[in-house]
Amino acid sequence: MSVLNIALAGNPNTGKSTIFNALTGARQHIGNWPGVTVDKKMGQLTRGKKKINIIDLPGTYSLSAYSLEEKIVKEYLLGEKPDLVVNVVDASNIERNLYLTVQLLEMGIPTIVNLNMMDEAKSKGYEINLDVLGKYLGAKVISSVATSKNGLQQLINSLDSPNMAMPEVAGSSLLDEYLKQIANIRKSEKDSELMEEEIISARYDFINRVLEKSLIINEAVVSWHDRLDNIFTNRILGIPIFIAIMYMMFELTFTWVGQPISDLLDGFISGTLTDWVNGTMAALGTAGWLQSLVTDGIIGGVGSVVVFVPLIFTLFFFISFLDGTGYMARVAFIMDRAMRKIGLSGKSILPMLIGFGCTVPAIMGARALDTERDRKIAVLISPFMSCGARLPVYALFAALFFPGKESIIVLSLYLLGILVAIVMGLIFKSTYFKGDAEPFLMELPPFRVPTIKTVLLQTWEKGKGFLVKAGTIIFSMSVAIWFLSSYNFSGPSDIKDSLLAAIGGLIAPIFALHGFGSWQTGVAVLTGILAKEAVVSTLGVIYGISELADDTAKIVTQLQGTLGATFNSLSAYAFMVFTLLYTPCMAALGTIKKEMGSWKWALFAAGYTFVLAWVASLLIYRIGLLLGLGG
Amino acid sequence: MITLKDIKPGQTVLVDNVKITGQARGRFMAMGIMKGARLKVIKVAPLGDPIEVLVKSYNLSFRKAEAEQIFVSLV
């Protein structure tokens, strides 16, 4: 069986992924390019006796190695030499899209030009003569409307014989002439910048000559997406609309859809399922430790991952949808000025905002940023945006120690998180990630209605990544913590005498100067690394409240006496600040490892946030004492 | 001499000279911002920066800091 390697290349926003999905169906594999966090998508197709591997290259505007994506595509084409490149071209934006086509032709790789989005081109008043275009480009040209699968069968038919795609169109005199011109420019001894400029001009000249013969533009009317664009980026309405959309997205995710399903799942896993397993195992006469491992360790651990799933999938669904419409580019456009003030680009606002919901999708959202450097900075600072899981901790301590002033206390923590994120972002930018700022250069794609299939597939891809990678880490950590909390060196034990309590006792002195140096807070800090919401439940378990109430008001009464003895209002605030800033949860650390490609960065993130939190809460406690706030 | 920064939304210009230097120069040119290109300023972002420009019948956004280095003449 012969194997063909076919690469899909094209500009961003040309429907390349839709074509890839249509060609490969379910037989695809998504990973990262070696060493970098750019998606590597591969799929398979069988045509008669031929096996066709299709690789979806990252979307690029050119092959000039200006960005990470361009370097990947260039290196792949030069190094792997695919049998055929299918160049997906947005027909409604043909002039700029052909720039990449020309570069592919210069490299001499067999190329099929797939003019996609023919419907949009028509509505823009474009009449393209495919035969003439193909003749002058010296490549086979196929048209399609991928969203409705038009023309895709013709594309598939041309894939199994890449060599046959060429002869019928080979020998464009215009292309030959152009290739000679380029060779001459390259031979002439000029400085490289001047040469690059002449080559770029020559490319666009060639494109213009080809289009003169093959494209007729009829006067088009103002389209509906121009009108929409004028509303969404309006001087006065633009920002309020943005805030409203974000608010809706969070409400839908955390209040209406994601959270209720999460709660249901949580109820099922920690209630019905656990009871059933307990009952069955007891009936079978299973040893107590095994029963505890299965229910508390494994089911509890997996459960803590699973309850994240509806939230993450709902949020990713909305993000994929908004991304597919072209609105995200508008968000970057309207917010760039504000974000630049804090050393970031407009494109980084999204991951920061998502961070208020959950750090995990925020870290994954950083992929939208242009450069590896911006991505890494965004990943490293997103844990400071107070995620939803920290809110129970704030709510408990604020209600206990600052009655009547809860809102202002909680707000101050959110603001402190933002401030720390900004300061750390600026520090990273001027130290380890030093370098010239990249100019902001962004296409504003036309508004489109994304296909439901594309949105669902993207949601699934992102969500699956979280499930697999973060899931395994959370699972193994849960089992480890279960073990530590149920055993000591002489065997099974109560949590008070467990290894975990002993470790808590070892940690406690670290906080001796912070006003909360007890083994109990030490343990709460530890389990908080597992999941931030565990801080409250751990305190409940340790202080012997068997069934912690769901409602904060009741928890407050339950914990009033015990916590009141350990904390005062100043040390309570210092503890909240510590909770805000310290090591992100295991799910977030697992995601950092996955996105940044190495444990080194995950450990760095875990370490530097811990040190920062330690120093910040120490300063708050000590300065507070000096100011006489210790009562 | 006027630069793209001085152009009001709705006006169309021809590019005389691109003074952007370094790697950014190549990126701008590859996107079609080069001598002889026809540009129409579409709008300015709500906070005053960046700007949106129609070039080669697609919409591109960049900052005033770069627009200031693009010399143009009105059509």
Side-chain angles (χ1 to χ4, degrees), chain A residues 61 66 93 95-96 124 126 197 201 204 229 233-235 333-334 336-337 340 438 440-442 444, chain B residues 24-31 34 43 45-47 49-50 52 56-59 61-63 66:
Chain A
Y61 293 107
Y66 295 131
N93 190 354
E95 194 180 352
R96 193 210 59 217
K124 220 172 159 180
Y126 282 20
E197 203 167 324
S201 297
Y204 273 119
D229 194 17
T233 56
N234 182 279
R235 265 209 116 113
F333 177 71
I334 60 177
D336 180 64
R337 180 80 183 254
R340 196 160 14 127
E438 295 279 325
F440 179 85
L441 191 64
M442 184 185 64
L444 291 166
Chain B
R25 183 184 184 82
R27 284 185 64 198
F28 272 76
M29 287 186 69
M31 298 299 276
M34 56 199 298
K43 65 166 80 82
L47 298 172
D49 202 13
E52 179 182 348
K56 297 196 183 296
S57 67
Y58 80 97
N59 296 31
S61 163
F62 48 88
R63 291 172 180 161
E66 275 76 35

